[in-house]
Amino acid sequence: MEALFPQGEKSIGLCSDHAGFDMKKYIITLFDERGIRYTDFGTYTNESCDYPDFAHKLGAAIDNGECDFGISICGTGNGINMALNKHQAVRAALCWNPYVAKMARAHNNANVLTLPGRMISEQEAYEMIVTFFTIPFEGGRHQARIDKIPLR
Ligand code: RB5
């Protein structure tokens, strides 16, 4: 997996709420075992919390260039994905299988992989992470479409 992260010096930003906390811990174990650098923007416990508090920390890090990529997790993936996509530099994609993760990179140039922590296994998360960080953006007509997304 080490070779799958060509984005250079920057760490990968991670965030979750309580419902995604265990999956975030699994991802941290994966990254630690492989020497992949990350910044954990929380949450840091299983205690009930509000997903926007952590989504906005990762979103700000992408807006200000601290991170180029991120992974976010809540129970369904919906809430944390909605909050992240309020940030101008974020294109967060809610993915539930490797094909969606592949297309999120190839066509949408997604920079945040959002996972539904309560609905997928660790193996499914692993496969989506590998896919997401392997597949390049195709550019071309897809760039023209992405350019139309921002409202300001
Ligand atoms: C938490 O119970 C749950 O609502 C949250 O993790 C997420 O699924 C919201 O979209």
Side-chain angles (χ1 to χ4, degrees):
M1 187 188 274
E2 296 86 332
L4 303 178
F5 296 96
Q7 71 272 34
E9 298 303 308
K10 294 187 185 178
S11 63
I12 295 169
L14 305 177
C15 73
S16 78
D17 69 355
H18 56 288
F21 178 69
D22 286 343
M23 186 63 80
K24 181 161 64 69
K25 274 202 305 189
Y26 165 70
I27 294 166
I28 285 171
T29 301
L30 278 181
F31 283 9
D32 282 343
E33 287 171 354
R34 290 159 178 81
I36 295 164
R37 295 196 313 111
Y38 58 86
T39 302
D40 183 0
F41 292 100
T43 186
Y44 303 110
T45 73
N46 279 310
E47 193 178 333
S48 182
C49 60
D50 301 331
Y51 51 79
D53 295 340
F54 308 98
H56 290 314
K57 288 181 180 169
L58 173 57
I62 291 178
D63 277 345
N64 71 26
E66 178 186 344
C67 295
D68 287 334
F69 289 95
I71 301 175
S72 72
I73 315 125
C74 69
T76 61
N78 272 322
I80 209 160
N81 204 56
M82 289 176 187
L84 272 155
N85 275 316
K86 294 295 182 186
H87 291 261
Q88 283 300 305
V90 171
R91 287 178 303 282
L94 173 54
C95 297
W96 60 94
N97 67 34
Y99 180 76
V100 179
K102 172 187 169 185
M103 299 308 281
R105 287 291 307 131
H107 285 193
N108 309 121
N109 200 15
N111 52 12
V112 176
L113 170 65
T114 299
L115 298 172
R118 283 179 170 160
M119 348 264 334
I120 58 169
S121 66
E122 290 180 349
Q123 180 63 28
E124 288 171 313
Y126 176 83
E127 288 170 13
M128 285 188 267
I129 292 166
V130 169
T131 301
F132 189 85
F133 287 100
T134 304
I135 300 294
F137 176 48
E138 289 178 10
R141 69 186 187 283
H142 302 296
Q143 183 61 56
R145 292 165 185 166
I146 288 168
D147 289 343
K148 292 184 176 183
I149 293 175
L151 291 175
R152 56 181 187 276

